[in-house]
């Protein structure tokens, strides 16, 4: 399908790029409404206990203040029944309903909001709210919590590994009689998403109707949850979010500040804007949880894996059990008959963690792929060769054939491009002046999933078309990719297609998460646009005035908005001519699309391989990722340019995870001590050296109608393991704790 | 941010007067530290006297270079004479912050930069530097970035400046003007180790305004280098930094300047280490020995013990680079 004839497969510039670079793309915090007031939050300064007393009088008297809302005067919010919770919420526990009670669950929990005429007045007045706590010592130390870790509470239909222990074969027996085994313990620091755009909500009531301008990855869910909290009909809540300045999972859920903005606007009877500060972005939305992981591998002398045991202990809050697909890869990546996985939770007085790019798999794969490297060293087998020897020809967990799997090609082509054969296997065997050079690699994988989605297509009398759906574009280039898919299906130029997103008034769409958007919404657009094209063809066939009257449908093609016969291109007419003759302003149809039984017949995953070169200062311990070469097999690539941007972005995120990002709680009181971008380190330009990301051409006949598999999450999975493995090769030091810091290499 | 009033001084005399007229006032330079701290409620001045437009010239004199207090860090770093005759200063400036911040930050502001101690910058924690005798939260807290030299049981905050490390190595002199007239303060006497008195960071008196910095020009300052070690390649404060200059005649070191950043509660001049270098061959043995002398009194905290070894290795690296310079 990706021929030069099609627009899909072309490296098209972003259709919204111009709006973004000229500042005309409207983000939530950009919204200005008449009589807009501003809210600021007051957060708890203890991690556990109760509010004994709140003195809001000084704040109320402060200039410009309209109201102070605490649990004493906040309207009651209703919470969702557990069974009806959206997939982005934890399956067990109670989401934090803000300003509803005196209970303090974590440090940085909202306890009051101040609404003022201006932002500056609101933030100043918030500093005057005096809160007295009854401080009961909370669980602020992860190691202490991990020592008491428990299995997740079983839930109905809980998936193995996400909520239940998993076992196939007899791993204990295989480990006992292994030729070679590796037993290692890994740890990963918590990380915060820190998208450039701060979380923000503007709430505006008109009687019983509420409009929210929100930073979110899922407008339909915000509508549903907010309607429920305020006992409103869903139709009376409209959520608008046409542009999102990065999210990485931080805006999947409806976080407390969204409800607070709506509460505040109702309280002061004016529209209210609430923009979280950078620091508040650390304790209102979630973050990637800390993990401790134990991995045991058994193998024969020849390097055939005979057992994998993988246990993960993940951080969660005391009010919700956050679990993610930490151990899924371990059960699916390698052909191994004996596998056991255990998931445990360490509950602390922290806000609930959340999905962050590559959630679960990125953490689990760090441990698994580091352990594989340790096994390669123990076996004296090349790490690439070890992986090829244990390649899973079908999914070993569900015993299903892969819908497509080009992992072997990823290994081979990326290895060749980085010059893997020049690598001398012994640690510390390669150097350049003060720098030790190391090469490392690891596997990337992510499940290819698809959710139901609906799309409305309008074909207009001028021959242009619009595509409308509630889905989001948080930055990957969804507007552009959907434009390309629609243009191909309709036989239009890309410039004739307009995509409208991010509004609950549009046909319902799933969350933009899990790398499912193109598979879900892209498939719906493809099907809807194809249906529209067929509808127009039918109109022509049945129209005696049309040159295509009584033509056979399969003989008709549409190119650049003109219907014609394949074999007689002069016989035909344009969409515009046909619609004008029929006096149709527009033709419109809405189409819903959902996965079929292919999910029961095939296992579906994207795959990839990261190869990195690191340079480690032999005296000072600094690690520089000098080069990354990554191959991705993610089905059909709709737009190689935006896909490439997404891939290198994921790799940069992986470099951050490996070397820099580390959210630190002070274990004395559970307060985060680096909740700003000067102390929480993400990579800067100067940290990033050449990154070569490329795609393996792959045709997936089964994943969905357009043959895509998802890329965003995939690109970060495995990066940290590849870097740690390269650091071992450079220095001979096996570092099992992320992030890797220079002091561990002195 | 707390409300404040603002005035712009037409000249230095007026600035001093405006400062005097308003009780709790601060001079406003680029604002890259002051406004930041005001947003955090760490600084709460009632009045700001804007001195941005005063004293912003760089004068090259016969034996010194005189830098106006309001000269921007970028302008100083890229000045031809600074780049060629005082490379350590240019490198130190360019190792600091980001281009945007350097375009705003002034020389005087940099001299008075506040520490990045997370417990100082967050008013929910006790901090002796903010509130006398409230206690130091860093000593039993997360202190990887904290000081190992010049600390006490009252304060272990690190002096954050890169520029100051180069200036103290170069024996710069600070000119200030205040209610009691003009005076010159040698750089090595200017800062007070936080450990001694956490509140008092410099010898500057209330209302006194820095007007210029003067650096003597010694030929061997051209043979100087600034090494900054940190987790990421830019926009981060030093874990360890070294300003080094060597005068080498024949095969002997005849003059040395060595100062450390990221490890001290003030810009740390390693005078004894300098003395240990003089008369020696510029080789690894001499550097290792000097590094040992420089860190002799270092006192590690829970998370920053690595800084001692890192500082020693950084000193050797920097001296090695300087020794090989032509």
């Amino acid at each position: 399908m990706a021929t030069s004839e099609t627009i899909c497969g072309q490296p098209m510039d972003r259709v919204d790029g111009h709006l973004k670079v000229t500042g005309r793309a409207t983000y939530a915090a950009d919204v200005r409404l008449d009589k807009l007031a501003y809210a600021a939050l007051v957060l708890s300064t203890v991690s556990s206990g109760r509010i004994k007393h709140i003195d809001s009088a000084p704040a109320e008297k402060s200039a410009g203040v309209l109201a102070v809302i605490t649990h004493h005067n906040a309207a009651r919010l209703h919470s969702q029944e557990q069974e009806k919770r959206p997939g982005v919420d934890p399956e067990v526990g109670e989401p934090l309903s803000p300003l509803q009670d005196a209970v303090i669950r974590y440090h940085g929990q909202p306890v009051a909001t101040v609404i003022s005429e201006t932002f500056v007045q609101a933030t100043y007045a918030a500093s005057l709210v005096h809160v007295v706590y009854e401080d009961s010592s909370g669980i602020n130390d992860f190691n202490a919590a991990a020592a008491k870790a428990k299995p997740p509470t079983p839930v109905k239909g809980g998936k193995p590994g996400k909520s239940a222990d998993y076992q196939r074969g007899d791993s204990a027996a295989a480990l006992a009689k292994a030729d070679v085994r590796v037993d290692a313990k890994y740890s990963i620091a918590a990380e915060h998403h820190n998208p450039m755009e701060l979380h923000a909500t503007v709430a505006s009531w008109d009687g019983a109707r509420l409009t929210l301008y929100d930073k979110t990855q899922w407008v339909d869910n915000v509508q549903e949850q907010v309607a429920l909290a305020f006992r409103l009909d869903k139709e009376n809540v409209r959520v608008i979010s046409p542009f999102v300045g990065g999210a990485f999972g931080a805006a999947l859920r409806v976080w407390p500040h969204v409800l607070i903005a709506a509460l505040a606007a109702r309280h002061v009877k004016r529209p209210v804007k609430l923009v979280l500060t950078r620091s508040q972005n650390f304790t209102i939305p979630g973050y990637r949880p800390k993990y401790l992981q134990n991995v045991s591998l058994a193998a024969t002398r020849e390097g055939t894996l005979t057992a994998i045991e993988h246990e993960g202990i993940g951080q969660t809050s005391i009010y919700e059990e956050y679990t993610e697909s930490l151990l899924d890869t371990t059960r699916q990546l390698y052909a191994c008959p004996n596998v056991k996985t255990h998931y445990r939770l360490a509950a602390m007085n922290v806000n609930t963690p959340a999905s962050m790019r590559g959630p679960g798999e990125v953490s689990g794969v760090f441990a698994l792929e580091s352990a594989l490297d340790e096994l390669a060293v123990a076996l004296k087998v090349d790490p690439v060769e070890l992986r090829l020897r244990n390649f899973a020809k079908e999914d070993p967990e569900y015993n299903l054939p892969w819908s497509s799997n080009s992992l072997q090609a990823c290994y081979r082509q990326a290895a060749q491009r980085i010059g893997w054969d020049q690598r001398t296997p012994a640690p510390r065997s390669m150097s350049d002046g003060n720098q030790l050079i190391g090469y490392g690699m690891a596997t990337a994988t992510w499940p290819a999933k698809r959710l139901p989605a609906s799309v409305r297509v309008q074909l207009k009398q001028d021959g242009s078309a619009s595509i409308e759906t509630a889905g989001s574009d948080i930055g990957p280039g969804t507007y552009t990719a959907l434009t390309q898919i629609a243009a191909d299906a309709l036989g239009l130029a890309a410039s004739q297609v307009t995509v409208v997103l991010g509004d609950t008034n549009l046909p319902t769409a799933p969350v933009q998460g899990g790398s499912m958007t193109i598979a879900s919404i892209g498939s719906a657009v493809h099907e809807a646009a194809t249906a529209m094209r067929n509808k127009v063809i039918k109109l022509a066939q049945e129209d005696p005035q049309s040159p295509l009257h009584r033509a056979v449908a399969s003989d008709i093609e549409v190119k650049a908005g003109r219907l014609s016969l394949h074999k007689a291109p002069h016989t035909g007419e344009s969409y515009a001519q046909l619609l004008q003759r029929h006096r149709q302003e527009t033709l419109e149809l809405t189409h819903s699309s959902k996965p079929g039984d292919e999910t029961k017949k095939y296992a579906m995953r994207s795959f990839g391989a990261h190869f990195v070169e690191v340079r480690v200062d032999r005296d000072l311990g600094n690690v520089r990722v000098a080069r990354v070469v990554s191959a991705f097999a993610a089905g059909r690539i709709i737009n190689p340019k935006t896909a490439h941007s997404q891939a290198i972005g994921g790799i940069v995120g992986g470099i951050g995870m490996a070397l820099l990002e580390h959210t630190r709680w002070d274990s004395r009181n559970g307060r985060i001590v680096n909740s700003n971008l000067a102390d929480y380190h993400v990579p800067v330009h100067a940290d990033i050296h050449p990154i070569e990301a490329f795609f393996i051409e792959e045709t997936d006949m089964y994943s969905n109608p357009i043959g895509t598999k998802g890329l965003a999450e995939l690109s970060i999975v495995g990066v940290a393991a590849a870097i740690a493995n390269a650091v071992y090769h450079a220095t001979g030091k096996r570092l099992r704790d992320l992030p890797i810091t220079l002091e561990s290499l002195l | 941010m707390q409300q404040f009033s603002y005035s712009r001084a037409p000249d230095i005399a007026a600035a001093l007067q405006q400062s005097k007229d308003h009780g709790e006032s601060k001079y406003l330079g680029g604002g890259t530290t002051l406004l930041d701290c005001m947003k955090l409620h760490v600084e709460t001045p009632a009045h700001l006297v804007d001195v941005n437009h005063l004293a912003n010239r760089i004068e090259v004199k016969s034996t010194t270079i005189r830098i106006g207090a309001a000269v921007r860090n970028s302008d100083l770093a890229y000045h031809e004479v600074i780049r060629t005759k005082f490379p350590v200063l240019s490198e130190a400036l360019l190792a600091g912050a980001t281009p945007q911040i350097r375009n705003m930050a002034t020389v005087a502001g940099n001299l008075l930069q506040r520490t990045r101690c997370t417990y100082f910058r967050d008013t929910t924690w006790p901090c002796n530097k903010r509130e006398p005798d409230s206690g130091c939260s860093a000593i039993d807290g997360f202190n990887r970035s904290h000081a190992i030299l010049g600390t006490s049981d009252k304060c272990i905050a690190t002096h954050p400046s890169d520029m100051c490390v180069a200036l103290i190595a170069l024996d710069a002199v600070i000119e200030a003007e205040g209610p009691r007239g003009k005076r010159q303060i040698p750089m090595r006497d200017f800062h007070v180790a936080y450990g001694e008195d956490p509140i008092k960071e410099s010898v500057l008196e209330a209302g006194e305004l820095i007007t210029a910095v003067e650096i003597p020009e010694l030929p061997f300052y051209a043979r100087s280098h600034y090494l900054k070690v940190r987790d990421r390649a830019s926009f981060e404060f030093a874990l360890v930094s070294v300003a080094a200059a060597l005068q080498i005649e024949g095969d002997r070191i005849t003059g040395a300047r060595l100062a450390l950043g990221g490890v001290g509660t003030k810009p740390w001049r390693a005078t004894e280490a300098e003395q240990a270098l003089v008369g020696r061959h510029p080789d690894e043995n001499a550097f290792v020995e000097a590094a040992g002398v420089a860190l002799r009194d270092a006192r590690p905290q829970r998370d920053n013990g690595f800084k001692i070894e890192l500082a020693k290795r950084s000193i050797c690296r920097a001296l090695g680079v300087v020794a090989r310079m032509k």
Side-chain angles (χ1 to χ4, degrees), chain A residues 194-490:
Chain A
N194 277 313
M196 220 187 320
E197 182 200 17
L198 299 168
H199 284 262
T201 307
V202 177
S204 176
W205 291 84
D206 176 9
R209 298 172 72 89
L210 171 63
T211 304
L212 292 171
Y213 302 85
D214 190 30
K215 174 195 177 90
T216 176
Q217 295 173 249
W218 193 7
V219 289
D220 287 342
N221 184 49
V222 177
Q223 178 190 43
E224 190 161 336
Q225 302 307 314
V226 172
L228 199 125
F230 288 89
R231 291 256 162 99
L232 301 169
D233 289 336
K234 216 168 92 171
E235 295 67 38
N236 284 339
V237 180
R238 183 178 177 195
V239 182
I240 301 171
S241 183
F243 294 101
V244 174
F248 313 111
L252 292 170
R253 297 187 67 184
V254 180
W255 297 112
H257 69 276
V258 179
L259 298 170
I260 292 174
L263 271 179
R266 196 158 83 164
H267 194 100
V268 300
K269 299 186 170 58
R270 283 171 60 172
V272 167
K273 181 186 288 191
L274 173 55
V275 182
L276 300 187
T277 64
R278 181 58 66 183
S279 175
Q280 290 168 350
N281 270 261
F282 280 72
T283 65
I284 310 297
Y287 51 92
R288 191 194 301 292
K290 275 167 98 89
Y291 280 106
L292 282 178
Q293 298 181 72
N294 293 301
V295 178
S296 293
L297 301 178
T300 64
R301 285 262 167 259
E302 296 71 38
T304 302
L305 277 170
T306 54
I308 308 175
E309 288 188 356
H310 191 166
E311 182 193 48
I313 302 174
Q315 181 185 29
T316 190
S317 67
I318 59 157
Y319 56 97
E320 287 177 303
E321 290 187 8
Y322 176 77
T323 57
E324 53 187 14
S325 51
L326 177 78
L327 304 166
D328 294 28
T329 302
T330 298
R331 299 193 298 270
Q332 287 188 290
L333 183 58
Y334 294 112
C336 179
N338 306 299
V339 174
K340 186 165 101 176
T341 63
H342 274 184
Y343 203 127
R344 297 291 179 265
L345 287 172
M348 302 175 63
N349 286 91
V350 290
N351 51 316
T352 306
S355 292
M356 177 167 159
R357 199 166 190 176
E361 313 241 352
V362 70
S363 304
V365 164
F366 166 67
L368 179 67
E369 287 292 278
S370 293
L372 254 286
D373 201 68
E374 299 200 43
L375 182 64
V377 171
L379 287 164
K380 298 191 173 65
V381 173
D382 181 90
V384 180
E385 179 56 30
L386 178 64
R387 286 165 174 84
L388 289 170
R389 282 183 201 173
N390 292 285
F391 175 73
K393 292 191 183 70
E394 62 167 28
D395 168 19
E397 184 177 8
Y398 297 105
N399 299 312
L400 292 172
W402 299 112
S403 64
S404 60
N405 184 337
S406 308
L407 178 57
Q408 291 161 304
C410 291
Y411 291 139
R412 292 195 173 109
Q413 291 188 31
Q416 195 197 354
R417 288 206 196 192
I418 203 166
W420 187 256
D421 57 348
Q422 306 296 309
R423 171 188 189 259
T424 53
R428 296 186 84 90
S429 62
M430 302 176 80
S431 63
D432 175 9
N434 288 324
Q435 299 191 319
L436 299 168
I437 299 174
Y439 287 85
M441 57 81 57
T443 312
T445 179
W446 183 257
K449 291 184 181 164
R450 176 184 171 196
L451 293 169
S454 300
V455 166
R456 180 159 58 227
V457 184
Q458 281 190 336
L459 189 63
K460 294 168 189 163
Q461 214 177 52
D462 64 0
S464 70
S466 75
I467 300 290
E468 299 174 327
T469 173
S472 307
D473 184 347
I474 59 171
T478 310
Y479 279 105
T480 312
L482 296 183
T483 299
Q484 292 175 270
I485 294 167
D488 275 346
L490 286 165

Side-chain angles (χ1 to χ4, degrees), chain A residues 124 127 434 617 619-620 622 660 664 666 668-669 671 673 677-678 681-682 684 686-687 742-743 746, chain B residues 1-2 41 116 118-119 122 124-125 137 140-142 144 229-233 236 306 310 313-314 317:
Chain A
Y124 175 64
S127 75
N434 288 324
D617 190 300
D619 301 317
L620 308 179
N622 274 124
L660 294 167
R664 294 181 181 276
D666 192 307
R668 291 172 295 181
N669 63 4
R671 185 172 177 83
V673 294
L677 290 178
H681 294 155
V682 296
V684 294
D687 292 301
L742 57 80
E743 56 261 43
L746 287 181
Chain B
M1 199 184 273
Q2 196 164 296
H41 297 124
R116 298 295 304 191
T118 180
Y119 301 100
D122 178 346
T124 67
W125 293 97
S137 298
D140 293 320
F142 176 63
R144 177 174 183 258
V229 184
R230 47 183 159 176
D231 294 311
R232 64 179 174 186
E236 190 190 354
F306 73 95
L310 183 63
R313 294 184 187 192
S314 301
R317 175 69 61 83

Side-chain angles (χ1 to χ4, degrees), chain A residues 626-630 644 647-649 651-652 655 688-693:
Chain A
R627 195 177 165 209
V628 181
V629 176
S630 302
H644 180 263
I648 60 176
I651 292 163
V652 171
I655 292 171
I688 303 304
H689 302 284
I691 297 175
E692 198 180 320

